[in-house]
Amino acid sequence: MNAVLESLWALHGFDEELVTLEAAISRFPADRQAVEQRVAADQARCESLKSRVHDLQVHRREREREIEGLVEQERKFQSQLMAVKKNEEYQALLHEIAALKSKRSEIETAVLLQMEEEEVVAAEKPAAEKSLQMARQEADARLHQIATLEQDDRDRTAAIESQRAVYLDRLPADVRARYERVRSSRGGRAVVPILKGACGGCFRAQPPQVLQEARRGDRLISCEGCGRLIIWPPESA
Ligand SMILES: [Zn+2]
């Protein structure tokens, strides 16, 4: 294998690693989002329980005021009973009082039922808050872990880029331009090995004379299928 092909083969190794690193780095935003969504879901549950308890309490207070009003009204009618002279007026007042009592009793029953509901909802709150607290702790740990992984991948990328630069400099200008062109149009993979007689990039079978030439390793060969530079892998020479 001549020096140009050797440099290209080294670049192949770096590029493969860069493609893998880039894919890993591109997944971090989604990983972060998934972590944040879990916390947001727990938070929404806590908020909803809190506002449900609040609404129930407001509603219960309204009903309690309604009961106070009815009691007041009843007391007024009771005192009027003493003053009325006519029997029909007396009967009418008794009727009103009975109606007030029955309405009050209905509301009191509703208040009792609602207090039970308040207790049920309030009882769910500590568990939901605990779960939110744990979700936050787990999220913090996971986000820290993601940040570390991402930093490692970025550091590794920078290290490979500087190693790549050394081999890029060794390429003649025309080869370098060709390599860069193919690399940018082929998702970062410009150089591929020949595997089982085919291009390692697009899997097109290579003619026997191309395979022979590639094996000699003295000339730059492109795959006619995908344009990538194909190299007979040194380890299988
Ligand atoms: Zn190909």
Side-chain angles (χ1 to χ4, degrees), residues 9 42 101 120 126 137 158 221 223:
W9 187 246
D42 271 7
K101 274 192 202 300
V120 171
Q137 279 171 3
I221 304 169
C223 166

Side-chain angles (χ1 to χ4, degrees), residues 80-234:
Q80 283 172 14
L81 273 181
M82 315 297 176
V84 293
K85 303 281 187 296
K86 287 182 185 163
N87 188 44
E88 41 296 6
E89 279 174 14
Y90 190 83
Q91 290 305 325
L93 270 177
L94 280 184
H95 189 73
E96 292 283 357
I97 289 168
L100 285 174
K101 274 192 202 300
S102 125
K103 191 171 179 196
R104 179 157 62 91
S105 151
E106 250 173 55
I107 300 173
E108 280 168 350
T109 307
V111 165
L112 284 176
L113 286 175
Q114 203 190 304
M115 282 167 80
E116 279 171 26
E117 195 186 348
E118 273 174 51
E119 270 171 36
V120 171
V121 177
E124 285 176 40
K125 257 175 68 182
E129 277 161 4
K130 178 91 186 144
S131 162
L132 172 60
Q133 196 193 349
M134 279 176 61
R136 279 195 176 127
Q137 279 171 3
E138 281 170 19
D140 282 351
R142 180 70 188 128
L143 288 175
H144 184 261
Q145 194 183 24
I146 291 171
T148 307
L149 289 172
E150 182 167 12
Q151 194 52 53
D152 287 351
D153 283 354
R154 291 194 185 280
D155 290 348
R156 180 81 190 122
T157 299
I160 294 170
E161 289 289 4
S162 67
Q163 282 175 287
R164 264 188 86 237
V166 174
Y167 288 88
L168 268 181
D169 281 347
R170 292 182 190 168
L171 293 179
D174 61 327
V175 175
R176 180 174 172 160
R178 190 164 152 193
Y179 159 83
E180 295 282 25
R181 198 173 56 242
V182 178
R183 187 173 182 259
S184 67
S185 70
R186 291 291 169 198
R189 286 189 167 107
V191 183
V192 291
I194 293 173
L195 300 168
K196 293 180 180 163
C199 163
C202 70
F203 308 113
R204 172 192 273 237
Q206 301 297 317
Q209 73 270 25
V210 168
L211 294 176
Q212 259 179 20
E213 273 191 86
R215 199 161 192 163
R216 276 202 302 273
D218 52 10
R219 188 173 84 78
L220 205 55
I221 304 169
S222 290
C223 166
E224 293 205 354
C226 65
R228 289 186 185 91
L229 306 170
I230 47 178
I231 291 183
W232 193 272

